[in-house]
């Protein structure tokens, strides 16, 4: 089931990033975005080291943007 859901992750992550960086989203909304991000990452975490192509396909588009954002926050 996780592998089937992983096809949606690359479509979801850019939208989550847009929502998180949107000025109109309040703290509660950002909390929900981060929770959804966490759940999406869990759907592909099983593949790390096993199916690196799947991980790359899911994360390559926005992973660096998310990490840069987290570094700014920290």
């Amino acid at each position: 089931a996780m592998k089937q859901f992983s096809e949606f992750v690359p479509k979801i992550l850019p939208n989550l990033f847009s929502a998180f960086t949107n000025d109109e989203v309040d703290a509660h909304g950002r909390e929900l975005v981060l929770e959804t991000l966490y759940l999406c990452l869990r759907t592909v975490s099983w593949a790390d080291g096993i199916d690196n192509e799947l991980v790359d396909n899911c994360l390559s588009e926005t992973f660096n943007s998310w990490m840069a954002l987290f570094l700014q926050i920290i």
Side-chain angles (χ1 to χ4, degrees), residues 4 8-9 11 21 35 39 42 44-45 47-48 51-52 55 57 60-62 66-70 72:
Q4 291 173 335
F8 299 106
V9 172
K11 298 171 187 169
T21 57
E35 185 175 342
L39 293 172
R42 292 226 18 207
V44 296
S45 64
D48 187 33
D51 190 347
N52 290 330
V55 174
N57 289 338
S60 65
E61 186 175 332
T62 59
W66 277 107
M67 291 305 107
L69 179 67
F70 291 148
Q72 285 179 344

Side-chain angles (χ1 to χ4, degrees), residues 1 18 20 23 26 30 39 47-48 68:
S18 294
F20 189 84
D23 292 336
D26 64 1
R30 286 191 176 94
L39 293 172
D48 187 33

Side-chain angles (χ1 to χ4, degrees), residues 1-51:
M2 293 284 210
K3 191 169 186 173
Q4 291 173 335
F5 183 79
S6 66
E7 71 181 77
F8 299 106
V9 172
K11 298 171 187 169
I12 294 170
L13 292 184
N15 292 310
L16 289 175
F17 187 80
S18 294
F20 189 84
T21 57
N22 186 330
D23 292 336
E24 296 177 14
V25 176
D26 64 1
H28 178 68
R30 286 191 176 94
E31 181 181 328
L32 294 174
V33 168
L34 289 176
E35 185 175 342
T36 306
L37 172 67
Y38 167 74
L39 293 172
C40 285
L41 292 177
R42 292 226 18 207
T43 66
V44 296
S45 64
W46 65 269
D48 187 33
I50 298 170
D51 190 347

